[in-house]
Amino acid sequence: MSRNRLVLASSSQTRRKVLNDAGVAIDLVPPATDEGAVIDALSIDGDRPPPADVAAILAEAKAQSVSAAMPGRLVIGADQTLELEGALFRKAEDLAGAIMTLRQLRARTHALHSAVALALDGETVWSTLETAWLTVRDFSDTFLRAYVDEVGEDVLGSVGCYRIEGPGVQLFSRIEGDVFTIQGLPLIPLMDELRRRDLLVA
């Protein structure tokens, strides 16, 4: 169990639940980081770093932003990007965009890159990144419409327009990777690091 309360630089209830369920006590502090602006700033002549690097950069930016305003507190930052054949996906803005995203993912394999970082006094002190591979089945348009109708606006909460904890698991024919990586927080290496820092009971 936790020895001290950590800070999670996030508004994600999924990440909060993952940590709470694991017995890691946290305070939730949403960062002021504008993810879109950070991604746009990474672009040089239309090119940007690989999606995996973008996830790592965003996780560190979130952790650093919150920790700079909370001296002495260890802050967890996390981010996830979706990559399909080298292309970086962003969250859909509406249900029409979600349908478009799911049609692009249909019958193809994509990667979810999940990064987590620890920051102290505005500086990153540890980070790691893990990747999961998910193959979307060749579902029918009838299924797609029924899925979006059932999930509704919640479909906009993740970049892939799904959560494997719910009906979204029906989208897949194969999943390779850690469930926590898919949920956007590489929990096992994070807990290892927290134990190394004597912040979890060994």
Side-chain angles (χ1 to χ4, degrees):
M1 308 303 287
S2 296
R3 295 184 185 275
N4 299 292
R5 293 187 73 86
L6 303 165
V7 177
L8 175 61
S10 177
S11 58
S12 169
Q13 293 303 316
T14 298
R15 292 189 180 106
R16 179 180 194 171
K17 185 176 188 305
V18 165
L19 288 165
N20 285 341
D21 288 351
V24 180
I26 59 160
D27 293 319
L28 196 67
V29 180
T33 308
D34 184 334
E35 294 183 25
V38 172
I39 292 173
D40 289 340
L42 294 173
S43 299
I44 300 175
D45 296 328
D47 293 328
R48 65 169 59 99
D53 292 351
V54 172
I57 291 167
L58 286 170
E60 291 195 29
K62 292 175 182 179
Q64 291 172 3
S65 171
V66 171
S67 71
M70 303 184 74
R73 297 289 300 274
L74 192 64
V75 177
I76 303 167
D79 200 83
Q80 183 184 71
T81 54
L82 187 154
E83 178 181 4
L84 177 65
E85 297 177 1
L88 174 70
F89 277 52
R90 295 194 185 187
K91 287 183 180 178
E93 296 182 356
D94 52 32
L95 294 183
I99 289 171
M100 183 180 300
T101 292
L102 290 166
R103 282 182 172 148
Q104 288 178 281
L105 298 178
R106 180 165 53 186
R108 302 165 83 180
T109 299
H110 64 270
L112 287 178
H113 305 294
S114 292
V116 61
L118 295 175
L120 183 65
D121 299 330
E123 298 292 334
T124 298
V125 294
W126 175 86
S127 65
T128 193
L129 181 138
E130 295 194 350
T131 298
W133 297 91
L134 298 89
T135 301
V136 177
R137 66 184 181 85
D138 190 9
F139 53 77
S140 66
D141 283 341
T142 299
F143 170 83
L144 175 56
R145 287 191 295 271
Y147 167 71
V148 172
D149 286 345
E150 178 179 358
V151 178
E153 296 289 331
D154 285 348
V155 79
L156 307 178
S158 64
V159 67
C161 303
Y162 58 77
R163 288 191 175 89
I164 64 168
E165 311 95 294
V169 73
Q170 294 190 42
L171 292 163
F172 301 100
S173 61
R174 184 177 179 83
I175 293 176
E176 300 174 77
D178 183 273
V179 64
F180 301 116
T181 299
I182 296 169
Q183 292 177 325
L185 184 69
L187 182 64
I188 302 303
L190 173 61
M191 291 194 300
D192 282 344
E193 178 63 15
L194 294 178
R195 277 190 289 269
R196 191 186 71 80
R197 292 174 175 271
D198 201 29
L199 295 172
L200 291 179
V201 177

